[in-house]
Amino acid sequence: MTTPALAIVMTLAAYMLSLSLYRWMRCPSWAPPMLTGSVMLAGFIVMLPVDYDSYYLDAHWLTLLLGPATVGLAVPLYEQFQHIKQLLIPVTVSLIVGSITACAATLLIAWALGVSPPILASLAPKSITTPIAIGVSEGLGGYPGLTAGIVTVTGIFAASIIPPMAALLRCQDPRVMGLALGLNGHGLGTARGFGIDAQTGAFASLAMALNGALSAILLPLLAGWLTH
């Protein structure tokens, strides 16, 4: 591929087709456009005379747009600032405990199963939003492509399972629901939160942002352990 045009067309086509499929299926949480679009895109790469490395290089700049999109979540955060300020201490404690638990549980289980250090490094940022997770994975010596896939699966699972779990536990507080979705499901969980209501989405975006920042600080401290 000599120009990024084909990569852009492939990516946009996969997204538009997956979005249409998502709406036709009445927006199921288990089949978000990110998942079905990724499958379609993989099919395009297999069928067309394009290898993955070339596609990744030509479409890599698209991932840069994830950063500004994530920063844009500051708007609903600002709108819900009064609610967030009233719960500053419980929110902070919940995020710290949840972030450490999500990472530690994954690493301990994988380590006990004998997973290799590069895979451990790829698994570590599974609950962080994609642009941060890829950077953390690269810094730890993991595989960014694998990390991106794991992040997607984690987000889909969290976005699908948390709302029914909340209903089962009779938890109707949108703030609690939002924190759980953002902490465990990052971008996909946050999108699910905004699909419920603005307050759930705002708390989900708060959890996603703070979990990403906290993990980006703490995970590099584990680099020595993950590589031995």
Side-chain angles (χ1 to χ4, degrees), residues 186-212:
H186 38 77
L188 289 174
T190 299
R192 177 69 167 159
F194 278 110
I196 296 173
D197 59 51
Q199 191 173 37
T200 303
F203 274 81
S205 62
L206 172 67
M208 179 185 69
L210 294 184
N211 181 44

Side-chain angles (χ1 to χ4, degrees), residues 3 41 61 77-78 95-96 100 102 106 112 121 127-128 137 142 145 147 173 181 190 197 204 217 219:
T3 69
L41 189 56
W61 70 271
L77 279 177
Y78 175 77
L95 287 174
I96 293 175
I100 294 174
T106 300
S127 295
I128 313 176
S137 178
T147 297
D173 192 327
L181 284 168
T190 299
D197 59 51
I217 295 172
L219 285 177

Side-chain angles (χ1 to χ4, degrees), residues 176-189:
V176 175
M177 175 89 75
L179 288 174
L181 284 168
L183 180 62
N184 296 284
H186 38 77
L188 289 174

Side-chain angles (χ1 to χ4, degrees), residues 65-114:
L65 299 178
L66 289 172
T70 303
V71 173
L73 293 172
V75 175
L77 279 177
Y78 175 77
E79 294 174 347
Q80 298 291 328
F81 180 71
Q82 290 301 321
H83 297 285
I84 295 171
K85 186 170 65 173
Q86 294 171 1
L87 299 170
L88 182 61
I89 294 178
V91 165
T92 302
V93 173
S94 298
L95 287 174
I96 293 175
V97 173
S99 179
I100 294 174
T101 301
C103 179
T106 300
L107 292 177
L108 287 174
I109 293 173
W111 175 77
L113 293 174

Side-chain angles (χ1 to χ4, degrees), residues 138-175:
E138 290 177 336
L140 294 175
Y143 305 116
L146 178 59
T147 297
I150 292 170
V151 167
T152 300
V153 172
T154 301
I156 292 169
F157 182 77
S160 301
I161 199 68
I162 288 175
M165 282 187 65
L168 182 64
L169 295 172
R170 298 181 181 179
C171 176
Q172 300 179 347
D173 192 327
R175 299 167 298 183

